[in-house]
Amino acid sequence: MHLLSLHTMFFLQTIPADIWITIFEAIDNPAHLAQVVLTCRKFNQLGTKILLKHLVWTKEDPTRRNLADWSSVHSDLLFLPRRLKLGIPFDGFLFSGAMALAFSPANRLYDAVIQQISRFTMLEELFLARTHVTPIIYQLVASLPRLRLLDITACTFVHQDPSGLTPLPESENTSNITHLVLQNNTPSRDQASPDIGDHPLHRLAGPSLRSLTITWSPTSSLLFGTQRWQLPNLTELKLHVALLTRDMMDSAVEFVNNCTAGPRVSLRVTKHNVPDNQISSTSVPMHGLKSFWGPLPVVGMFAGSSSEVEHVTVTESLEITHLLAGLERLSKNIRTLDLQLRKYDNEVLFAIRQLFPDVESVAIRFGKGSLPENIMVMLGSDILPDLKQLRTLRLSMDANCIPPQPPADYNAYFLLHALNQPPAEEEPQTPSDATSTLFDPADLKDYLVGWNRYCPKLRTVQLTSVSIWHRRFEGDPWVEKTVDPPVVNRNNARQGYRRSSDPFIV
């Protein structure tokens, strides 16, 4: 045992340091790497430098200890950090009084964090999550010459710095940020300046910005819309809209039109309040829209028959007539389709064949019904011969596509909702997967081999909710893999049931 230990130690010493560094850099979880560096002195020397490249400050006590280390044992390694995540809420800020820094732990910690980050001159990525964004943050960003990515998510914006902060060195109010993320943030309630158009981010992330992810809300549309933010070099834009209104729709389209470089746009809409009688007659084309996630009627308003949208993911189940009407409003450029049906109908496949001949991926989930017995014959003779580019075909049952049933006493239901009382539980609606026993695996495999003459690019086929057939390349044998069926969450579905006039929707 002793000889084996000596042999192992000799073997570890002969491996070059570059190999160990490559291995350590492949460890995704910093906590795991932190355990590795405790095993021996060599691993401590090699792994510590990797740990210091990616810093996570989300808890107060560990952050204080880490700040103390940077002032002592790590003082000569300030050039190492490349990425930093700050997620401390800093509860208890004091904004007035000369002695605020001396008596407020939150003020002292905030000042120490800001000063330490300003010393990381090689920092490339800064993530702010669930913390406060005060004016000194913009000065901090401008003082980091290598910073390229700024991510501000779920933060609270404050238009006043806490009292007692140490001033940062003077620097130009510009930066070289190329990627900016602004998601789910809370605007300030103490807006001091009436000139809302003069926001520091306009100058910090302007001409250099290439990619922008932003939650589009009434506040963000005022801050960054209506030509207030000039982004001449933006090439990628991701818009997230929690509640789409007609005003939000117009401001989002205007914002995209102001991006003169013609960015590739991804639009994500959670829900909307546009009346049904206006959806079919409303058309506000969004230039550059390539990807959409949300209700199908909404994408029809942004993406007409001449649009460039290629990827559509529908987030609500529809009756077949409404689904077909929505698909007819899309262009023939569609490459991927992810649809939801309340009850399966073959008509959706014939519509896809006719409307989107170049589609590459089709996923259809349905809540009720089942695939017909002749589905394999129908696909091989009527559908697949016209879809030469198809790579993925998924037809599976998902109970989550069944819309929740309104209670018999609707007013009583919403009264209980207002009082935070759950309604009486209903019998779980979990349709059985009738297609799981519809096909014999051997026969199904024979069909898949025969389909190769129509769709040589086909790689993935799913016809039940419990298994998927896959092959790596043309000529490769098809292999069946078992998958878990979708998790049925009826509670979320019931909570999601709302009328358009529901007073509890904010």
Side-chain angles (χ1 to χ4, degrees), residues 341-389:
L341 267 175
R342 296 184 179 181
K343 183 178 181 180
Y344 179 77
D345 195 309
N346 281 337
E347 286 299 318
V348 66
L349 293 175
F350 286 97
I352 292 174
R353 181 199 66 176
Q354 182 69 25
L355 296 173
F356 316 115
D358 296 325
V359 68
E360 299 174 1
S361 176
V362 174
I364 301 174
R365 290 173 289 155
F366 53 93
K368 296 182 179 181
S370 61
L371 300 180
E373 293 184 1
N374 67 337
I375 183 66
M376 304 299 293
V377 176
M378 186 196 73
L379 288 171
S381 61
D382 298 330
I383 305 299
L384 297 182
D386 294 326
L387 302 178
K388 302 294 185 182
Q389 306 300 320

Side-chain angles (χ1 to χ4, degrees), residues 35-54:
Q35 296 297 322
V36 172
V37 300
L38 298 177
T39 57
C40 66
R41 182 176 300 176
K42 181 173 182 177
F43 285 1
N44 183 276
Q45 294 174 348
L46 298 177
T48 299
K49 291 184 178 181
I50 299 176
L51 280 174
L52 295 180
K53 287 184 178 180
H54 301 158

Side-chain angles (χ1 to χ4, degrees), residues 20-256:
W20 288 120
I21 292 175
T22 302
I23 295 174
F24 294 161
E25 288 179 342
I27 300 178
D28 295 331
N29 192 334
H32 295 165
L33 183 56
Q35 296 297 322
V36 172
V37 300
L38 298 177
T39 57
C40 66
R41 182 176 300 176
K42 181 173 182 177
F43 285 1
N44 183 276
Q45 294 174 348
L46 298 177
T48 299
K49 291 184 178 181
I50 299 176
L51 280 174
L52 295 180
K53 287 184 178 180
H54 301 158
L55 304 179
V56 178
W57 294 347
T58 56
K59 298 181 179 179
E60 292 188 6
D61 291 340
T63 300
R64 287 191 175 94
R65 292 194 296 267
N66 194 246
L67 290 173
D69 290 340
W70 282 110
S71 300
S72 55
V73 295
H74 301 327
S75 59
D76 57 340
L77 300 177
L78 296 175
F79 61 91
L80 281 179
R82 296 293 188 273
R83 178 191 304 169
L84 188 147
K85 178 182 179 181
L86 177 61
I88 302 175
F90 296 106
D91 296 328
F93 268 156
L94 295 179
F95 293 95
S96 62
M99 302 301 292
L101 189 62
F103 294 101
S104 171
N107 287 42
R108 293 199 303 270
L109 180 59
Y110 191 70
D111 181 68
V113 166
I114 295 299
Q115 293 299 319
Q116 186 59 58
I117 295 177
S118 67
R119 301 185 185 102
F120 297 146
T121 57
M122 303 298 288
L123 196 67
E124 298 175 354
E125 300 177 4
L126 178 59
F127 297 83
L128 305 177
R130 296 177 178 85
T131 187
H132 286 79
V133 178
T134 68
I136 199 171
I137 291 292
Y138 307 124
Q139 302 176 36
L140 174 65
V141 171
S143 68
L144 299 173
R146 300 291 295 273
L147 192 66
R148 295 296 180 269
L149 186 150
L150 177 62
D151 187 321
I152 305 177
T153 301
C155 292
T156 300
F157 283 82
V158 181
H159 286 274
Q160 181 182 359
D161 280 325
S163 298
L165 296 187
T166 305
L168 291 175
E170 293 292 334
S171 62
E172 296 183 4
N173 198 16
T174 59
S175 71
N176 295 315
I177 295 176
T178 58
H179 296 74
L180 177 64
V181 178
L182 298 170
Q183 289 195 106
N184 304 324
N185 296 302
T186 302
S188 174
R189 297 182 179 180
D190 59 347
Q191 177 69 44
S193 172
D195 186 11
I196 196 172
D198 187 20
H199 195 278
L201 286 176
H202 294 169
R203 297 183 297 276
L204 288 175
S208 63
L209 201 61
R210 301 290 188 274
S211 173
L212 172 64
T213 300
I214 185 171
T215 298
W216 200 249
S217 64
T219 301
S220 61
S221 65
L222 289 175
L223 286 174
F224 307 119
T226 60
Q227 298 184 354
R228 297 181 185 276
W229 202 6
Q230 301 301 321
L231 304 173
N233 296 311
L234 193 69
T235 58
E236 182 181 8
L237 174 61
K238 296 180 181 179
L239 289 174
H240 297 174
V241 185
L243 176 61
L244 183 68
T245 64
R246 183 53 194 264
D247 291 339
M248 295 286 293
M249 189 185 311
D250 294 336
S251 63
V253 171
E254 183 179 6
F255 177 68
V256 173

